[in-house]
Amino acid sequence: VAPSYAVDVLTVRKRIRTAEGGRLDEVLRSAGIPLNLYCGGRGLCGKCVVEIVRGKVSPPGGPEAALLAGKGFSPRHRLACMLRVRGPLSVRIPRGSVPGKIRVLDAGFAEKFEPAPAVKKYVIAPEAPSLDAPLSLAESLEKKLGRRLALSPEAVGELPGALVRGGGKVTVTVLDGREILDVESGDETDGCFGVAVDIGTSTVVVELIDLNTGRTRGRTASINAQVRFGPDVVTRISHAYEKPEGLSELSAVIRSQIDEMIRELAGKAGVPTGQIYEIVTAGNTAMTHFLFGVPVNTLAVAPFHGVFAVSPEARAGSLGLNVHPRARVYAAPNVRGFVGGDIAAGLSAVGMSGRTGRVLFVDLGTNGEIVLKAGGATSTTSTAAGPAFEGLSISCGMPALPGAVAEARWSGGFKVRTVGNKDVRGICGTGLIDILAVALAKGLLSSSGRIRTETGDIPVAGEVVLTQADIRGLQLAVAAVKSGVRMMIEQSGLRISDLDEILVAGGFGASLNIRNAMAVGLLPGVPERKVVFVGNTSLAGARKLLLSFPARDAIETYAKKIRHVSLASGRDFQDHFVSALEFGPYSGDV
Ligand code: FES
């Protein structure tokens, strides 16, 4: 039997017993203390630092020691993901190592639409059956509602009791105008809620919505808990099909995370979770497959197709989500390949199918997705931008939490503004773009991406610097999007100057400096009035699809018509990519 040891977590005064050899981050997580694992526990991000106060540990390997020293940590600090428990330990966890609440920067933009939710509540007093009018309870219900109903044995079984408790009055919750989801006693029409979820590869945002009024009752965001299996879609897909339990692990993690976030929101809003009747999610193809527990093997090999495009019919109870057990879980349809429901939801939100002119829609997330609508045809592609824009693969990067540099300019040195005006802790996406643009303009950085300072890094504020490796990561992310946009424009026979509108979506937040984004080459150079920042359209789209049942049909039909362009198979892509590695505005008018 392997010996077991005590791990004392001084920060929260908790003692955990664990078998010898356990990885410290996993030991902590099993005791309800999750750490930031932005790089998925691969020893690269340096976000899972713990301080060893007492106990013997093996010395850090070279890369770990260098990473920790580079970040100014003392030799007592270690990366939890690189440490095996070999004896009793006492540890302290720095604040920066535990996931914080992410400030939800924006709710996303959505065109105006007519609300028409799939779920509606009716209060009725069915006629008591009599000898003259021998209608059954269910028939009398149908008569009152004026429609045929699909009656489940559970719903019918709840009717008599609810009627008695409600003094002859019941509230029935009807889905799609025919299925009874719930029967409650008395008048409960006020309690009709739904949930919209944006399942991003890096961030999950959940919104609680009153289906009667369309109003948002609460919104919360956190880092996608699946990051511990890998920071990007590709590593998570490999985890799902290479490990026997991989898929069920990924499913369980995202389901329980969404469940917890819903519980938190409902608790704060004083909403009974049993009155949540529908959940609409928007996520990329892999995220949606994980949610429903559907194998992703086909996403791992060309032509990278998912098993389904249109959402399977699923109920909350079967997915372990603790809302009303018969609540429906609907996912925005996947478009093609990796272009998933998050983009479909985004296109629904901005009303892409109804927009006239030549419109470029760019979603700057972990996968940079590009959609081009011109001459009545729509095409799309996805680029592997990686999580750099979300600050996750950058040494001082962080999500838009308090203390993250969100804006930067130059005035004899970097002048920064942080989220919440707190002390600088790191840099989020908008800050990274500003810093790149300023560093290029001031000659701290060459357009080839070489840092030109004496120290070899770009000092931003205090300890916060951008290293040469960070710049390389950003260079790849910008180049992925830039070459993708150029290919799409070229293939459609257009020029940049032909574009009437560029819609920029993504979790960047409204403070993305468009001029700086153009200066580094992230966005094509067009007159600024043509660029519209639409924010988190994946969330806005999930909200719209929750509130408008007809919008689901519309986006499912539109998504089927979108042509998918595979960049990897394009002969010119490599050339475009290599030339896009040069920082700077788009050259020419291709
Ligand atoms: S270094 Fe440990 S999770 Fe990234």
Side-chain angles (χ1 to χ4, degrees):
V1 184
S4 82
Y5 300 113
V7 175
D8 288 316
V9 188
L10 305 180
T11 339
V12 289
R13 297 174 184 219
K14 193 163 190 169
R15 170 164 288 193
I16 312 165
R17 284 218 74 88
T18 181
E20 157 143 35
R23 223 173 78 176
L24 185 55
D25 62 310
E26 281 166 6
V27 171
L28 292 169
R29 181 171 50 79
S30 67
I33 312 171
L35 300 184
N36 286 328
L37 300 181
Y38 292 168
C39 71
R42 293 183 301 164
L44 302 173
C45 69
K47 308 289 185 195
C48 63
V49 174
V50 294
E51 182 186 349
I52 309 295
V53 180
R54 239 186 328 262
K56 264 221 179 99
V57 290
S58 53
E64 182 185 346
L67 183 65
L68 289 167
K71 284 175 164 277
F73 284 108
S74 80
R76 286 211 311 273
H77 288 89
R78 293 295 304 273
L79 298 177
C81 71
M82 293 284 115
L83 196 71
R84 302 264 168 199
V85 177
R86 301 278 181 222
L89 282 182
S90 294
V91 299
R92 212 175 272 137
I93 303 173
R95 232 170 27 111
S97 297
V98 279
K101 270 254 164 303
I102 299 180
R103 201 170 75 115
V104 187
L105 283 173
D106 75 289
F109 162 87
E111 295 266 286
K112 270 214 161 350
F113 61 92
E114 203 54 53
V119 179
K120 206 165 162 31
K121 278 191 160 185
Y122 302 86
V123 61
I124 42 175
E127 289 163 28
S130 68
L131 288 175
D132 306 333
L135 283 184
S136 69
L137 264 181
E139 284 167 316
S140 132
L141 196 66
E142 287 179 332
K143 195 172 153 201
K144 287 272 175 194
L145 292 177
R147 54 169 58 104
R148 277 299 303 274
L149 296 170
L151 298 159
S152 69
E154 294 87 353
V156 182
E158 286 160 10
L159 261 175
L163 260 177
V164 173
R165 287 193 305 278
K169 223 189 246 175
V170 286
T171 301
V172 289
T173 307
V174 180
L175 177 73
D176 298 343
R178 64 184 302 269
E179 178 187 339
I180 296 193
L181 274 188
D182 196 13
V183 177
E184 294 162 288
S185 54
D187 185 350
E188 289 287 338
T189 41
D190 280 349
C192 190
F193 299 92
V195 164
V197 189
D198 163 31
I199 315 177
T201 308
S202 307
T203 311
V204 179
V205 189
V206 176
E207 217 173 78
L208 176 66
I209 293 164
D210 186 325
L211 295 178
N212 288 325
T213 63
R215 272 205 212 105
T216 296
R217 294 288 302 270
R219 185 183 305 135
T220 184
S222 60
I223 298 280
N224 186 329
Q226 291 178 336
V227 293
R228 70 168 183 265
F229 300 107
D232 50 53
V233 173
V234 176
T235 39
R236 285 183 224 167
I237 289 174
S238 325
H239 181 84
Y241 82 87
E242 280 167 5
K243 303 259 164 41
E245 297 298 314
L247 176 62
S248 50
E249 279 177 328
L250 283 153
S251 288
V253 163
I254 191 62
R255 290 174 186 174
S256 77
Q257 178 170 19
I258 292 172
D259 192 47
E260 267 169 42
M261 292 170 82
I262 293 176
R263 193 163 347 128
E264 176 202 323
L265 281 178
K268 275 197 193 140
V271 165
T273 47
Q275 287 188 330
I276 296 174
Y277 298 106
E278 197 167 35
I279 298 175
V280 172
T281 70
N284 65 46
T285 312
M287 295 304 126
T288 312
H289 277 56
F290 293 146
L291 175 71
F292 291 114
V294 175
V296 287
N297 303 34
T298 54
L299 278 171
V301 288
F304 309 107
H305 281 319
V307 177
F308 63 90
V310 170
S311 175
E313 182 75 34
R315 296 301 161 112
S318 67
L319 298 187
L321 298 168
N322 294 299
V323 293
H324 192 283
R326 292 196 286 272
R328 176 165 57 196
V329 181
Y330 173 84
N334 297 317
V335 182
R336 289 280 182 276
F338 284 104
V339 183
D342 48 349
I343 299 305
L347 297 179
S348 172
V350 301
M352 189 75 159
S353 65
R355 282 186 183 250
T356 50
R358 284 150 297 213
V359 189
L360 183 72
F361 174 94
V362 187
D363 191 326
L364 298 169
T366 311
N367 305 312
E369 278 103 352
I370 300 158
V371 183
L372 179 65
K373 178 164 187 269
T378 308
S379 47
T380 186
T381 194
S382 61
T383 67
F389 299 138
E390 284 142 315
L392 295 193
S393 57
I394 303 297
S395 63
C396 280
M398 62 184 284
L401 292 167
V405 172
E407 281 171 36
R409 59 190 176 82
W410 188 266
S411 174
F414 277 105
K415 295 284 174 281
V416 301
R417 191 189 64 75
T418 60
V419 176
N421 294 318
K422 294 280 184 307
D423 290 346
V424 177
R425 278 179 60 201
I427 313 168
C428 65
T430 52
L432 289 166
I433 299 299
D434 283 359
I435 293 163
L436 278 183
V438 170
L440 282 168
K442 292 292 155 195
L444 307 178
L445 184 67
S446 73
S447 57
S448 68
R450 174 165 295 281
I451 295 179
R452 283 173 162 162
T453 61
E454 272 174 23
T455 51
D457 47 34
I458 299 175
V460 178
E463 309 260 283
V464 172
V465 299
L466 279 188
T467 65
Q468 188 63 65
D470 294 338
I471 297 293
R472 294 290 175 225
L474 286 163
Q475 207 167 6
L476 293 174
V478 171
V481 175
K482 188 178 188 180
S483 45
V485 168
R486 291 195 86 127
M487 285 279 292
M488 293 284 284
I489 301 271
E490 204 176 85
Q491 288 203 356
S492 61
L494 294 179
R495 293 169 175 276
I496 298 281
S497 56
D498 292 329
L499 293 174
D500 296 304
E501 217 178 9
I502 301 182
L503 306 176
V504 184
F508 261 126
S511 59
L512 175 69
N513 183 316
I514 289 171
R515 216 171 296 164
N516 284 344
M518 288 180 187
V520 302
L522 182 61
L523 294 180
V526 295
E528 266 188 64
R529 64 181 160 78
K530 289 189 177 179
V531 182
V532 185
F533 195 85
V534 285
N536 186 350
T537 49
S538 173
L539 176 65
R543 190 190 308 123
K544 175 175 175 181
L545 297 175
L546 173 69
L547 285 168
S548 164
F549 188 63
R552 294 182 208 176
D553 259 354
I555 196 60
E556 286 175 11
T557 309
Y558 183 48
K560 279 196 197 116
K561 291 191 198 141
I562 298 177
R563 192 174 67 95
H564 184 254
V565 177
S566 166
L567 288 184
S569 59
R571 264 181 297 127
D572 303 334
F573 181 68
Q574 274 310 320
D575 296 345
H576 275 302
F577 185 75
V578 171
S579 65
L581 285 169
E582 189 94 350
F583 281 123
Y586 278 52
S587 57
D589 187 25
V590 179

